């Protein structure tokens, strides 16, 4: 008799376990793969790791062309978009050391206006290549140097005439003639005027980092130094005659001169404070200081006081050179005031529209 195989024998159970384990593992693998596929599809596109990101920066090339000959001087490459025109000038100076930044004038178009150093290259660029026209502005000086040189000369020149050097006046005649008190007062007022200018240049006025051609400083020095020599020669001359109306004319004119000097100083301080505080939305308004009340009538009271100082000095000394100098100063101040008044009208129209530039009604 054949013996029936018992399905529960250990060998049979081992075979079933092996088959069932294989089926179980195959089913588990398929479920795992299906779950991973669903996870990938639901997550969307795979994003690269942040470490693999690369920011693409576009650099500009600045072509410097001579305005006269239209020939290319050099190309400043790899200029970042955030660079300013001053940065380009520094790189241009490295390529061409004979032209330092303050001497370089750059224009976007021929015969166009010179671009400011604060202009960004990105604002000028139409493509990746920016063409700028170069003009040699000549030797330059800073504004502080300009004014210090211009005002120091008259101060020293007047003192040389006041002490009556032997090379200027006859010493015998100088010892014989008595000096009128107005001669000493004129020296005090003249020195006070230029000392105030020097101190305000150093401690009050805030000049930009711009420059001006050296020839402008030479012309300014020639004007101020030349007129100072002419005025001082007549006032300190041994044969100088005092004013016609005597003590009253000298006293009232000297008082007016001192008031104009004080007013000029307080106006300059007010303007400097307005600029430093960053309040550029409104025009400077009068304060408790009476010298600032002139802001109610004119937009450039500093020029009004400056002209008043020289008119008072002319009346006090009663000399022709001082009168000519005062006349020229009034004309020059009025031109500067008109130019500033136009700028003020653009920036502070509601506050300035009913004011004169320098002298009420006239200018």
């Amino acid at each position: 008799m054949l013996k029936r195989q018992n399905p529960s024998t250990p060998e049979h159970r081992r075979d079933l376990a092996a088959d069932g384990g294989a089926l179980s593992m195959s089913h588990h693998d398929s479920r795992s793969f299906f779950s991973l596929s669903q996870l990938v599809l639901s997550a969307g596109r795979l994003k690269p790791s942040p470490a693999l990101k690369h920011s693409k920066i576009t650099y500009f090339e600045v072509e410097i062309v001579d305005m006269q000959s239209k020939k290319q001087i050099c190309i400043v490459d790899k200029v970042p978009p955030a660079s300013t025109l001053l940065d380009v000038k520094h790189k241009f100076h490295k390529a061409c050391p004979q032209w330092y930044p303050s001497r370089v004038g750059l224009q976007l178009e021929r015969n166009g206006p010179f671009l400011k150093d604060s202009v960004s290259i990105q604002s000028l660029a139409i493509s990746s290549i920016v063409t700028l026209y170069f003009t040699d502005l000549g030797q330059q000086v800073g504004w502080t140097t300009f004014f210090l040189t211009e005002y120091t000369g008259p101060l020293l020149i007047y003192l040389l005439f006041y002490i009556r050097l032997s090379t200027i006046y006859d010493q015998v005649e100088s010892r014989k003639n008595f000096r009128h008190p107005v001669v000493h007062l004129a020296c005090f007022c003249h020195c006070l005027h230029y000392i105030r200018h020097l101190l305000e240049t150093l401690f009050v006025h805030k000049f930009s980092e711009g420059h001006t051609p050296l020839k402008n400083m030479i012309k300014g020095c020639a004007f101020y130094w030349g007129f100072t020599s002419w005025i001082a020669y007549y006032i300190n001359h041994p044969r100088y005659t005092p004013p016609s109306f005597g003590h009253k004319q000298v006293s009232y004119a000297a008082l007016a001169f001192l008031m104009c000097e004080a007013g000029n100083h307080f106006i300059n301080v007010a303007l400097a404070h307005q600029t430093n505080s960053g309040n550029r939305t409104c025009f400077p308004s009068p304060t408790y200081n009476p010298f600032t009340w002139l802001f109610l009538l004119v937009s450039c009271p500093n020029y009004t006081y400056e002209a008043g100082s020289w008119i008072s000095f002319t009346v006090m000394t009663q000399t022709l050179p001082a009168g000519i100098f005062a006349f020229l100063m009034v004309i020059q101040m009025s031109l500067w005031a008109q130019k500033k008044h136009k700028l003020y009208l653009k920036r502070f129209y509601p506050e300035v529209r009913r004011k004169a530039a320098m002298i009420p009604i006239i200018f």
Side-chain angles (χ1 to χ4, degrees):
M1 293 179 61
L2 294 176
K3 188 177 180 180
R4 190 177 60 181
Q5 187 175 1
N6 188 1
S8 60
T9 57
E11 291 82 1
H12 183 69
R13 284 197 303 268
R14 187 167 50 249
D15 294 339
L16 289 175
D19 294 339
L23 291 173
S24 175
M25 290 179 62
S26 175
H27 181 67
H28 178 71
D29 291 341
S30 62
R31 288 185 62 187
S32 299
F33 179 78
F34 177 79
S35 299
L36 180 61
S37 301
Q38 291 294 327
L39 179 62
V40 171
L41 292 175
S42 62
R45 294 183 178 180
L46 292 176
K47 295 183 179 181
S49 175
L52 298 177
K53 284 185 177 181
H54 296 283
S55 59
K56 186 178 180 181
I57 301 177
T58 303
Y59 291 96
F60 293 99
E61 290 185 357
V62 180
E63 180 188 20
I64 309 295
V65 179
D66 185 80
M67 193 186 69
Q68 300 296 334
S69 62
K70 300 182 182 180
K71 294 181 179 180
Q72 184 188 93
I73 300 176
C74 73
I75 293 180
V76 181
D77 57 352
K78 294 185 179 180
V79 178
S83 298
T84 61
L85 206 65
L86 183 60
D87 300 328
V88 174
K89 288 183 179 181
H90 282 291
K91 292 185 177 181
F92 177 60
H93 173 57
K94 291 182 179 179
C96 305
Q98 67 271 25
W99 291 308
Y100 49 90
S102 62
R103 187 168 181 165
V104 176
L106 296 177
Q107 301 160 278
L108 191 60
E109 299 176 357
R110 293 192 67 198
N111 301 323
F114 289 107
L115 300 172
K116 295 182 178 180
D117 291 343
S118 58
V119 175
S120 65
I121 295 299
Q122 193 170 12
S123 64
L124 303 175
I126 300 177
S127 62
S128 60
I129 300 177
V130 181
T131 302
L132 297 176
Y133 295 93
F134 162 77
T135 300
D136 185 8
L137 300 178
Q139 192 170 357
Q140 304 286 303
V141 293
W143 284 111
T144 303
T145 304
F146 176 89
F147 288 112
L148 289 178
T149 306
E150 193 174 66
Y151 297 143
T152 303
L155 179 64
L156 299 178
I157 290 172
Y158 197 97
L159 291 175
L160 292 176
F161 283 92
Y162 176 73
I163 62 177
R164 291 182 175 177
L165 294 175
S166 58
T167 56
I168 301 175
Y169 303 110
D170 181 61
Q171 293 299 304
V172 176
E173 192 175 18
S174 299
R175 286 192 293 266
K176 287 182 180 180
N177 293 328
F178 171 74
R179 290 197 189 192
H180 194 274
V182 71
V183 176
H184 305 291
L185 184 60
C187 180
F188 170 77
C189 291
H190 192 277
C191 293
L192 176 66
H193 178 79
Y194 284 102
I195 288 174
R196 178 184 63 80
H197 272 303
L198 290 172
L199 292 177
E200 288 177 352
T201 300
L202 293 173
F203 304 109
V204 177
H205 297 301
K206 303 298 179 183
F207 301 105
S208 62
E209 297 183 357
H211 297 76
T212 185
L214 179 63
K215 61 181 181 181
N216 289 347
M217 189 180 76
I218 295 175
K219 289 191 292 186
C221 290
F223 177 78
Y224 280 99
W225 295 14
F227 265 103
T228 299
S229 303
W230 193 21
I231 294 170
Y233 176 80
Y234 276 88
I235 296 177
N236 296 286
H237 199 279
R239 298 181 183 180
Y240 168 75
T241 56
S244 303
F245 296 95
H247 180 70
K248 287 186 178 180
Q249 178 178 345
V250 174
S251 300
Y252 291 145
L255 181 61
F257 178 87
L258 294 176
M259 291 181 63
C260 288
E261 287 295 303
N264 201 341
H265 171 70
F266 287 119
I267 292 297
N268 288 331
V269 171
L271 291 173
H273 178 73
Q274 179 258 349
T275 303
N276 291 339
S277 63
N279 185 12
R280 298 173 181 268
T281 58
C282 60
F283 189 74
S285 57
T287 63
Y288 63 89
N289 189 338
F291 291 103
T292 63
W293 294 351
L294 200 56
F295 273 122
L296 295 172
L297 302 176
V298 297
S299 59
C300 302
N302 52 329
Y303 294 145
T304 307
Y305 282 124
E306 183 77 11
S309 295
W310 287 113
I311 293 174
S312 303
F313 187 84
T314 301
V315 175
M316 180 180 64
T317 58
Q318 195 174 309
T319 54
L320 180 62
I324 295 175
F325 182 73
F327 175 74
L328 295 177
M329 288 298 291
V330 170
I331 295 177
Q332 182 63 72
M333 294 294 170
S334 64
L335 294 176
W336 288 342
Q338 286 288 343
K339 186 177 180 180
K340 267 194 174 180
H341 187 69
K342 291 180 180 178
L343 295 176
Y344 286 154
L345 285 174
K346 294 179 180 179
R347 297 176 57 191
F348 315 109
Y349 176 73
E351 297 89 348
V352 184
R353 64 188 177 94
R354 293 185 179 180
K355 298 177 183 180
M358 176 176 151
I359 300 177
I361 301 175
I362 300 176
F363 297 109

